[in-house]
């Protein structure tokens, strides 16, 4: 019992901790933490031998391991999930202890999707054992192929390995096989994040973590070019590789703004990722000038991607000018954006993703009539 203000309240967590300290180490110190793993494994062995009420026991063990109780967003834009038993200052003290408990729990409950998947997640994030993590994550995917959280978890596993490879191999000393591995890991991560969005269009994490992948790759590309920031060399933002990465990330931002519920709690982490992307892009006016030059110099798909990115920036600046009452400048930006985008969308592969952006530019032009819109849409359809 503890006194809080004018009342006495029961603190079960402190009582439980005190009982564990006494039972496991016979002392009120942190020594008991080093006995927790063995204690939990003895409980798991008893459950395994009993064979009765195993489903209830599985839910009890999952409640102990569950990292969802306290879910926060870090400054990096990712959800930080902590289980008190696994990660806190009064829980398991070493990685070996955590592995021991997760391993035993997965053996006792080999068909419990939450325990198995979070063991895979732990192996990827904390231990960097990616091959072993695959076994548990994919086993869970076979157990529950319709689970909407699993594709994001698997995509995050590939992102974890991608960051590991990037950190171990600086861009200027990187071999061709390593660079191919980076491309493959990024593609696998994006493929799984796309599956995550297919299952839940309104979850911000299917967009946010995918944007984080491209932010990490853009920073790596800048390092490869020997540039510390876009501000130091604005023309770098219009290189072919960065144009493609920015275009993909901006498409994710646009989709997220359409489908994620417009509530602060729903968009907090997503908004952080979007702002980080805009910081990488640098000053808006300078970026527009760089992309104009890139459009003039580029050909084929490279030119089309640059036109799309230029149209996106022009639309953003047009809306800012319109809000300030500078309608003439806004109209010029909207017209240039619509023209560039219409030209890029002559490539059939680029029509579907970008027709909304074209419409957002063109609808702000006072000279356009309904018949003009219909005529252009028919042209695109053909």
């Amino acid at each position: 019992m503890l006194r809080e203000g004018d009342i006495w309240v029961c603190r079960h967590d402190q009582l439980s901790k005190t009982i564990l300290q006494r039972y496991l180490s016979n002392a009120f110190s942190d020594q008991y933490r080093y006995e927790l793993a063995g204690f939990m494994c003895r409980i798991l062995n008893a459950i395994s031998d009993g064979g009765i009420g195993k489903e209830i026991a599985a839910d009890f063990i999952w409640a102990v391991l569950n990292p969802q109780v306290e879910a926060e967003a870090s400054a990096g834009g990712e959800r930080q999930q902590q289980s008190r038993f696994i990660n806190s200052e009064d829980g398991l003290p070493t990685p070996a202890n955590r592995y021991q408990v997760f391993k035993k729990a997965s053996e006792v409950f080999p068909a419990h999707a939450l325990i198995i998947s979070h063991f895979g997640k732990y192996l990827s994030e904390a231990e960097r054992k990616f091959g072993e993590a695959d076994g548990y994550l994919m086993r869970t995917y076979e157990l529950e192929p319709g689970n909407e959280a699993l594709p994001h978890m698997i995509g995050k596993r590939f992102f974890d390995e991608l960051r590991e490879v990037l950190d171990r191999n600086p861009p200027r000393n990187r071999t061709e096989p390593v660079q191919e591995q980076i491309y493959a890991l990024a593609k696998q991560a994006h493929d799984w994040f796309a599956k995550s969005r297919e299952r839940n269009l309104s979850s911000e994490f299917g967009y946010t973590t995918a944007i984080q992948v491209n932010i990490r790759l853009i920073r790596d590309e800048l390092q490869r070019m020997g540039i510390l920031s876009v501000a130091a060399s604005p023309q770098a933002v219009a290189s072919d590789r960065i144009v493609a990465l920015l275009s993909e990330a901006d498409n994710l931002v646009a989709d997220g703004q359409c489908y994620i519920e417009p509530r602060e709690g729903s968009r907090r982490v997503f908004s952080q990722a979007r702002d980080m992307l805009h910081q990488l892009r640098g000053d808006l006016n300078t970026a527009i000038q760089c992309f104009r030059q890139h459009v003039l110099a580029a050909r084929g798909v490279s030119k089309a991607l640059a036109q799309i990115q230029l149209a996106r920036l022009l639309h953003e600046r047009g809306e800012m000018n319109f809000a300030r009452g500078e309608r003439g400048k806004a109209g010029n930006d909207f017209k240039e954006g619509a023209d560039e985008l219409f030209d890029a969308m002559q490539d059939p592969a680029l029509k579907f993703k970008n027709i909304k952006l074209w419409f957002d530019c063109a609808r702000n032009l006072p000279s356009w009539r309904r018949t003009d819109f219909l005529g252009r849409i028919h042209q695109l359809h053909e």
Side-chain angles (χ1 to χ4, degrees), residues 45-229:
N45 281 329
I47 293 170
S48 179
D49 294 339
I52 299 174
K54 207 165 181 178
E55 290 184 5
I56 297 173
D59 289 339
F60 166 75
I61 295 299
W62 169 239
V64 175
L65 303 177
N66 186 3
Q68 299 275 0
V69 178
E70 297 284 342
E72 295 293 338
S74 74
E78 293 175 11
R79 181 169 19 193
Q80 300 297 303
Q81 299 172 325
Q82 301 292 327
S83 158
R84 181 175 178 181
F85 180 73
I86 295 294
N87 291 307
S88 78
E89 61 185 13
D90 56 3
L92 296 171
T94 68
N97 291 150
R98 296 173 192 121
Y99 182 90
Q100 180 186 358
V101 170
F102 263 126
K103 180 74 172 175
K104 188 64 181 177
S106 69
E107 291 170 353
V108 174
F109 304 110
H112 194 287
L114 291 170
I115 291 174
I116 301 300
S117 63
H118 279 77
F119 184 25
K121 184 175 185 287
Y122 168 78
L123 288 167
S124 174
E125 291 181 349
E127 303 248 348
R128 297 299 192 240
K129 296 177 179 177
F130 303 112
E132 191 175 356
D134 282 340
Y136 290 99
L137 290 169
M138 296 314 297
R139 190 205 304 176
T140 312
Y141 193 69
E142 292 171 3
L143 288 170
E144 293 190 0
N147 187 322
E148 68 178 39
L150 280 172
H152 181 269
M153 197 178 287
I154 298 171
K156 182 66 166 49
R157 165 261 178 273
F158 286 108
F159 188 20
D160 290 337
E161 186 175 4
L162 172 64
R163 286 185 290 197
E164 178 86 355
V165 173
L166 289 171
D167 290 340
R168 278 202 324 262
N169 299 275
R172 293 192 171 186
N173 302 323
R174 192 174 293 156
T175 62
E176 189 63 29
V178 171
Q179 191 61 53
E180 291 301 318
Q181 182 186 10
I182 288 169
Y183 291 150
L185 288 169
K187 183 180 185 306
Q188 287 171 300
H190 275 302
D191 287 347
W192 282 105
F193 291 142
K195 289 183 181 179
S196 174
R197 293 191 298 276
E198 286 173 7
R199 296 187 180 187
N200 188 352
L201 273 173
S202 63
S203 171
E204 65 176 333
F205 294 101
Y207 304 91
T208 300
T209 324
I211 294 168
Q212 289 284 349
V213 170
N214 281 28
I215 288 173
R216 188 67 173 83
L217 292 173
I218 290 169
R219 286 176 174 159
D220 181 73
E221 189 67 16
L222 292 174
Q223 288 180 0
R224 188 190 66 77
M225 298 166 71
I227 298 167
L228 296 177
S229 68

Side-chain angles (χ1 to χ4, degrees), residues 12 17 21 29 40 44 54 73 75 83 95 107-108 128 135 142 146 175 183 186 216 227 249 252 271 294 321 372 381:
H12 296 289
K17 178 179 173 180
Q21 285 177 321
S29 68
M40 177 59 82
L44 287 164
K54 207 165 181 178
S83 158
E107 291 170 353
V108 174
R128 297 299 192 240
E142 292 171 3
T175 62
Y183 291 150
R216 188 67 173 83
I227 298 167
L252 288 166
S271 297
H294 190 65
N321 285 330
D372 296 323
H381 179 68

